[in-house]
Amino acid sequence: MKLYDSAMAPNPRRVRIFLAEKGIEVPTVQVDIGSAENRKPEFLAKNPMGGVPILELDDGTYLAETVAICRYFEAQQPEPVLMGIDGRDCAIVEMWNRRMEFEIAQPAMMSFRNTHDFFKGRIPQVPEYGAVCKQSVLKRLEWLDTELSNRPFIAGERYTIADITALVGIDFGRVTDIRIAPELKNLQRWYDAVSSRESAKA
Ligand SMILES: N[C@@H](CCC(=O)N[C@@H](CS)C(=O)NCC(=O)O)C(=O)O
């Protein structure tokens, strides 16, 4: 088994944190997205979408999509449970993880992709869209602060994949100056707790 990883990129970090929480070690191959290695035919043969992470299984299967890779490891090693304990709980965790993807992590990445020199000439950039995404994340952080007034973690009483997605999205937002405003005390309390876990170093 091999994880195609990229040290600076947010989605691979989500998988690395997930693995660290489970105490699973997987050999990694660094993909240099700076030199667009992920857009070369050899990589596209593994993942036609051209994104990292990818997990190569021992039977030669390539799994792409961060959540699909996490789902694989959750099934292989359920403890500690990060994606829900029963049907109801799995649905709640999924609801929150999707919200963290769609409302925080994805727009933070879009803010970067549409405004940063890194992607100039690689993808069509619409800087105005990047600016809208940034403002949208900032509004959603205010909302998340109110949600976190009555529970320790994003999806409830336990740390889950939704916390990983939100943490990585917020950390990545720093590249385009997305920050937790000082008045968002609940969010800051949550951020301090999740970012001080050993797994956050992954
Ligand atoms: N939907 C995919 C997104 C994968 C993705 O976009 N990965 C980024 C890194 S965070 C990437 O490979 N970027 C380089 C590029 O698009 O050229 C997932 O959830 O894993």
Side-chain angles (χ1 to χ4, degrees), residues 47-65:
N47 178 13
M49 299 295 110
V52 281
I54 322 178
L55 182 67
E56 181 180 345
L57 302 182
D58 292 339
D59 69 0
T61 304
Y62 291 105
L63 281 180
E65 299 302 327

Side-chain angles (χ1 to χ4, degrees), residues 63-174:
L63 281 180
E65 299 302 327
T66 298
V67 178
I69 294 170
C70 292
R71 174 67 65 197
Y72 175 80
F73 286 116
E74 182 87 345
Q76 294 297 111
Q77 186 191 298
E79 297 292 334
V81 174
L82 296 172
M83 299 180 86
I85 51 174
D86 56 23
R88 177 181 175 278
D89 192 45
C90 286
I92 290 171
V93 172
E94 180 154 348
M95 171 178 79
W96 280 105
N97 191 45
R98 288 174 76 85
R99 284 176 173 166
M100 294 307 101
E101 282 193 313
F102 293 143
E103 308 297 339
I104 309 283
Q106 190 65 14
M109 292 177 212
M110 286 297 125
S111 154
F112 173 73
R113 289 174 83 94
N114 281 279
T115 59
H116 204 276
D117 279 355
F118 181 85
F119 274 103
K120 208 163 259 174
R122 277 177 204 233
I123 58 165
Q125 288 184 301
V126 183
E128 295 79 5
Y129 178 61
V132 167
C133 287
K134 177 176 172 177
Q135 287 314 311
S136 171
V137 179
L138 291 170
K139 286 303 289 176
R140 289 310 196 195
L141 294 184
E142 290 173 19
W143 159 73
L144 203 48
D145 182 72
T146 61
E147 289 288 342
L148 286 165
S149 64
N150 63 0
R151 57 185 188 271
F153 296 110
I154 304 277
E157 296 303 312
R158 276 178 298 104
Y159 179 93
T160 68
I161 188 172
D163 296 290
I164 298 174
T165 304
L167 171 67
V168 171
I170 290 172
D171 279 348
F172 190 71
R174 285 198 209 136

